[in-house]
Amino acid sequence: MSAAITHILDSGGPVARALGPDYEPRQPQLRMTEAVAAAMEARETLLVEAGTGVGKSFAYLVPAIDRCLSRGETVVVATNTIALQEQLMERDIPLLQSTIAALDDESDGPLESPPPGAGSWAGDLRACLVKGRGNYVSIRRLKLASSRQDKLLSDPAARRSLHVIEDWAYDTSDGSLSTLPPLERMGVWDKVQSDSSNCMGRKCSHYDECFYQSSRRVMERSQLLICNHALFFSDLALRARGVGFLPKYDHVILDEAHGVEDVAAEHFGLSLSEGRVNHLLSTLFQSRSRRGYLANLQNLHNDGEAVGRAIELVARAERASRDFFESMVSLEQSSGVRNGRVHEPRAVANPLTPAMNDLAMRLRSLREDTKNEPDRFELAAYIERAVSIADVAEAWVEQTAEHCVYWIEVRRPGRDGEAGYAGVRVTIAASPIDVAPLLDKYLFSAEHSTVLTSATLATRTVRDDEPTEHAETAFAYTIGRLGCEGARTLQLGSPFEYARQVEVYVDRTMPAPSGGSRGGRAQQSRSSSPLFGHQPQSYEGALTERIVRHVRETGGGAFVLFTSFSTLYKVADMARVPLADEDLPLLVQGRDGSRTEILRQFRESDRAVLFGAASFWQGVDVRGRSLRNVIITRLPFEPPDRPLTEARIERIRDRGGDPFKEDSLPRAVIRFKQGFGRLIRSSSDTGRVVILDPRVLTTGYGKAFMNALPAGVRTEVIHS
């Protein structure tokens, strides 16, 4: 079987003929294709680290399509980014569909004969992009909102937003958010989106034209389903409770799998923001404008007093919400809570749960007395939301979920640490400390195969001459964190010539960012600086000087990657003038537009410098001369006082392990590899990676980062 599968991607195969003489088969891609096909055949779990340029998507799509067409099986492919989903749906799958159609015309038949009763490769592959229900507009709810807009919407901007949705809805072909024009009031979407709680199903007069139902029918007929990680793990968490919305599948492929642990932890945990509560209550009734759903219902309902009592309960819930979240801010600022983490249950009173339950009960009473069918479904949705808020608040306060960490997030309009409550945004959250048991039970122990692939799953690069068990050791951290013991592993290097395309510079003169190898305060540099004179420099000052120097040497075209926004903004303030003097435009994440917008500006410039943190370490693809310099300011260790990180450290320490070696270091190494990988995205890219953290040379653990670099990469140490 494997020889037949790989023929599709080999020289002389249909893909080679379709792409022309420039196509060259890649041995790593062929090895991955074979491994994925074998894992699917055996219904096993496979981890594949495949470097940039291997062609991962073709390597897993070819065996996936084989299972769909020759066996009639269903395959789910989940990615972390929209860009990859679009690449799969708009480029990769159509190309493979068109080229594979030629297979049956080959006289020798490249594939083995399918088993009796199985389909043929000549069949029509049915692939679809699966989106969450909330992505689709409900025509029924849109018409309802339009007919009631004077009572439902509180300001002209909201009504203008509704009109934009109306104009779009009657012209769009898919009815999803991906094609919706920008809105002045995005909250209006909540009033018109498809919602399972108020879906009338076949009773709806718009059922046949419903965008969501249409997408559902397409999904149920499809064999190859493309979705994002959030949707997949939301479905998996629902399946753990006996429900779910994806159809039964035979194989799962998780691309960009380095982010799986965090996404899974989020969806198996819980979260409640003050904004979510306020949005529901203001949708029901706004006391200042006297508008909202209940204001309209008061004119329609037989019992105006009953609706009035519901409005009173909305006001009561608003007070309860404010008291509840104010108490969270006070708790977060108290001496007993150091980093937002709450260790004990019932640390605060909980007026929110009874208030929301009372409101839900009153809404149920209104629903029972309401004759209008659409309003019965609208009320059902509001009841479900109120009950959900009540349940999450109670679960968090009582800490009912075992083996979880609970914390409070407070975002203030001013600087962190500012006292007071006005304008703050508060969220309470909880997450499993370890998702491995959950994934083992609900993902890896199921009867389907599971393939996880990324450019960064292993903690070190294993040379070709090393024993096989060394490769398994390189994946040990990822296997342990995800709970896929016994999984097969495969590490494939990139086909790019890193020895020719990349130079790595390590600045030995840069002061270490901390007073010790694993923590502490930043050291001060006493070297003179042309930017700051001959005074002793702060860490940020020394960092700024070196960033400006290295960016000047490449004439811009640089990503500068930070591990904290605080340091990023301090350095940006100091670097802006010297960079401007060199005619090097500075783009700062969080200040100069959205992530998409600053990436667009960066790609369009030949001399731009982008300062980024968090998401810019991964999932960003800039090819060509626009990016020729990646500067890593600091080794990307997670802050040890982050609640989830702290809880993981405690759990490892309690069983006698070393948290640094077992968790902090391998996690940082994988993220370091992600940052390094931003530079070379094609065989023609060239440039430098600059490491401004001398700990890669001065500490024992620094070797772990250097060993993670691609084989053959040249490293130059800057001593002066």
Side-chain angles (χ1 to χ4, degrees):
M1 170 66 82
S2 62
I5 289 287
T6 55
H7 170 76
I8 297 171
L9 298 173
D10 210 342
S11 58
V15 173
R17 293 198 298 273
L19 295 180
D22 292 336
Y23 179 80
E24 294 182 3
R26 293 169 254 183
Q27 288 305 311
Q29 184 183 60
L30 299 179
R31 287 181 61 195
M32 179 174 173
T33 303
E34 291 178 346
V36 172
M40 289 180 166
E41 181 69 21
R43 302 276 173 144
E44 293 178 336
T45 297
L46 170 68
L47 275 65
V48 184
E49 178 177 276
T52 306
V54 165
K56 293 189 292 293
S57 60
F58 276 24
Y60 60 68
L61 283 175
V62 166
I65 293 172
D66 172 43
R67 304 301 297 196
C68 293
L69 294 181
S70 68
R71 308 295 182 95
E73 295 174 347
T74 301
V75 182
V76 174
V77 178
T79 78
N80 196 43
T81 61
I82 294 174
L84 183 52
Q85 292 169 54
E86 292 175 344
Q87 174 190 313
L88 295 176
M89 289 300 300
E90 297 172 12
R91 190 187 75 186
D92 295 350
I93 293 173
L95 188 148
L96 287 173
Q97 280 184 280
S98 63
T99 56
I100 289 172
L103 285 174
D104 276 12
D105 295 334
E106 297 185 3
S107 58
D108 57 350
L111 293 179
E112 295 176 352
S113 299
S120 164
W121 269 74
D124 182 23
L125 175 70
R126 298 185 297 277
C128 74
L129 179 61
V130 183
K131 302 178 183 179
R133 184 168 196 151
N135 282 273
Y136 294 93
V137 67
S138 163
I139 297 298
R140 179 188 67 80
R141 295 194 73 211
L142 176 60
K143 289 186 173 181
L144 189 67
S146 180
S147 68
R148 300 175 174 183
Q149 59 185 285
D150 290 340
K151 283 288 187 181
L152 201 62
L153 303 176
S154 60
D155 61 81
R159 289 189 284 277
R160 287 194 298 270
S161 296
L162 179 65
H163 299 157
V164 169
I165 296 174
E166 287 181 295
D167 292 341
W168 160 81
Y170 300 117
D171 187 53
T172 179
S173 59
D174 77 336
S176 78
L177 278 171
S178 61
T179 60
L180 179 67
L183 303 179
E184 292 179 77
R185 296 283 187 270
M186 194 60 208
V188 175
W189 178 257
D190 179 69
K191 297 171 175 57
V192 303
Q193 70 182 25
S194 181
D195 188 325
S196 60
S197 303
N198 56 32
C199 176
M200 297 178 67
R202 295 185 180 276
K203 293 182 179 180
C204 179
S205 60
H206 300 282
Y207 179 81
D208 290 337
E209 60 185 311
C210 175
F211 291 112
Y212 172 72
Q213 295 296 345
S214 176
S215 71
R216 183 82 191 179
R217 289 190 289 270
V218 170
M219 180 187 74
E220 289 171 350
R221 293 195 301 266
S222 296
Q223 306 145 302
L224 182 59
L225 311 180
I226 311 299
C227 66
N228 63 22
H229 285 175
L231 186 144
F232 178 80
F233 284 102
S234 175
D235 176 77
L236 196 67
L238 288 172
R239 285 170 184 254
R241 300 196 293 269
V243 292
F245 47 86
L246 288 175
K248 184 179 183 301
Y249 42 80
D250 300 285
H251 310 281
V252 175
I253 299 167
L254 299 174
D255 202 344
E256 303 176 309
H258 54 274
V260 158
E261 181 186 9
D262 290 340
V263 179
E266 178 182 349
H267 286 277
F268 279 100
L270 55 85
S271 176
L272 179 63
S273 69
E274 185 177 19
R276 172 181 162 189
V277 179
N278 290 344
H279 180 71
L280 170 62
L281 298 177
S282 64
T283 297
L284 288 170
F285 189 76
Q286 298 174 41
S287 57
R288 181 174 298 177
S289 66
R290 308 296 296 177
R291 286 185 169 90
Y293 174 77
L294 292 176
N296 182 80
L297 190 65
Q298 204 162 26
N299 296 332
L300 303 174
H301 202 274
N302 295 330
D303 188 350
E305 289 188 10
V307 179
R309 288 194 292 273
I311 290 174
E312 291 174 2
L313 287 174
V314 169
R316 178 189 158 197
E318 287 175 343
R319 293 191 295 271
S321 175
R322 184 172 181 85
D323 290 345
F324 181 75
F325 286 103
E326 277 187 347
S327 69
M328 292 297 171
V329 174
S330 298
L331 179 62
E332 190 260 353
Q333 292 177 332
S334 68
S335 59
V337 175
R338 181 175 56 85
N339 57 353
R341 184 180 174 190
V342 179
H343 292 264
E344 301 295 334
R346 294 179 289 282
V348 295
N350 179 15
L352 184 59
T353 293
M356 296 304 292
N357 280 332
D358 288 347
L359 176 60
M361 188 178 299
R362 174 56 57 186
L363 295 177
R364 286 193 188 95
S365 178
L366 289 177
R367 184 176 184 273
E368 291 172 1
D369 295 336
T370 297
K371 300 293 189 289
N372 184 289
E373 194 77 356
D375 281 307
R376 289 178 60 82
F377 281 93
E378 287 293 306
L379 283 165
Y382 295 133
I383 292 165
E384 183 174 303
R385 293 187 196 185
V387 170
S388 175
I389 289 170
D391 290 347
V392 172
E394 181 173 29
W396 192 93
V397 171
E398 298 294 328
Q399 298 195 1
T400 55
E402 295 182 351
H403 311 301
C404 285
V405 55
Y406 296 78
W407 71 91
I408 306 165
E409 295 176 2
V410 179
R411 295 185 180 181
R412 297 175 173 84
R415 56 185 173 81
D416 284 344
E418 181 179 327
Y421 175 76
V424 303
R425 291 182 290 175
V426 189
T427 300
I428 56 173
S431 178
I433 299 171
D434 184 3
V435 297
L438 295 167
L439 295 182
D440 175 40
K441 181 176 181 179
Y442 297 111
L443 179 62
F444 300 118
S445 295
E447 295 180 354
H448 55 73
S449 72
T450 305
V451 175
L452 300 96
T453 184
S454 168
T456 53
L457 290 177
T459 54
R460 61 184 293 265
T461 299
V462 180
R463 299 188 308 274
D464 292 339
D465 59 352
E466 291 187 73
T468 303
E469 58 267 22
H470 285 201
E472 296 173 356
T473 302
F475 285 90
Y477 173 75
T478 298
I479 289 172
R481 292 307 309 165
L482 298 183
C484 49
E485 297 295 334
R488 293 198 300 117
T489 64
L490 177 64
Q491 188 180 48
L492 301 169
S494 171
F496 298 150
E497 300 177 28
Y498 284 102
R500 175 184 61 82
Q501 294 177 255
V502 183
E503 290 180 315
V504 175
Y505 294 87
V506 181
D507 195 328
R508 183 67 176 80
T509 70
M510 179 68 198
S514 60
S517 63
R518 302 187 184 185
R521 299 182 61 185
Q523 292 180 340
Q524 190 178 71
S525 170
R526 296 189 176 276
S527 59
S528 62
S529 163
L531 289 176
F532 302 97
H534 296 275
Q535 300 296 322
Q537 288 177 264
S538 65
Y539 169 73
E540 290 82 4
L543 198 57
T544 303
E545 179 192 352
R546 286 157 178 82
I547 289 170
V548 171
R549 181 199 310 162
H550 285 287
V551 167
R552 184 187 294 129
E553 289 180 5
T554 59
F559 268 14
V560 185
L561 302 177
F562 293 83
T563 59
S564 81
F565 281 100
S566 174
T567 303
L568 185 156
Y569 294 141
K570 288 177 183 177
V571 174
D573 290 339
M574 289 187 278
R576 192 171 291 277
V577 171
L579 290 177
D581 290 343
E582 299 285 337
D583 191 28
L584 300 171
L586 176 60
L587 300 168
V588 179
Q589 183 183 3
R591 286 185 177 176
D592 296 324
S594 67
R595 183 175 186 265
T596 301
E597 175 59 22
I598 62 175
L599 267 176
R600 182 191 64 78
Q601 294 182 51
F602 183 85
R603 288 190 178 103
E604 292 176 355
S605 172
D606 191 50
R607 295 177 60 79
V609 180
L610 191 154
F611 281 18
S615 61
F616 277 94
W617 284 77
Q618 58 187 355
V620 180
D621 193 349
V622 179
R623 301 188 180 202
R625 182 170 166 74
S626 292
L627 179 57
R628 51 193 179 273
N629 188 352
V630 171
I631 300 176
I632 296 174
T633 59
R634 183 171 181 163
L635 298 179
F637 290 104
E638 288 186 353
D641 62 349
R642 177 180 170 233
L644 185 53
T645 303
E646 182 181 74
R648 287 169 177 159
I649 289 172
E650 290 171 357
R651 172 165 289 197
I652 294 170
R653 188 176 289 129
D654 288 346
R655 62 171 171 74
D658 184 335
F660 182 77
K661 290 182 179 179
E662 294 181 29
D663 190 74
S664 301
L665 180 58
R667 195 179 293 271
V669 168
I670 289 175
R671 188 156 188 190
F672 174 81
K673 290 172 64 177
Q674 283 285 331
F676 179 92
R678 295 315 93 212
L679 182 65
I680 303 300
R681 310 302 296 176
S682 74
S683 59
S684 61
D685 288 346
T686 59
R688 65 170 65 180
V689 174
V690 180
I691 304 170
L692 297 180
D693 191 332
R695 292 179 296 176
V696 295
L697 300 176
T698 61
T699 63
Y701 64 79
K703 295 178 182 177
F705 294 92
M706 301 307 288
N707 289 338
L709 295 176
V713 140
R714 293 170 293 166
T715 301
E716 180 177 329
V717 179
I718 301 172
H719 292 285
S720 61

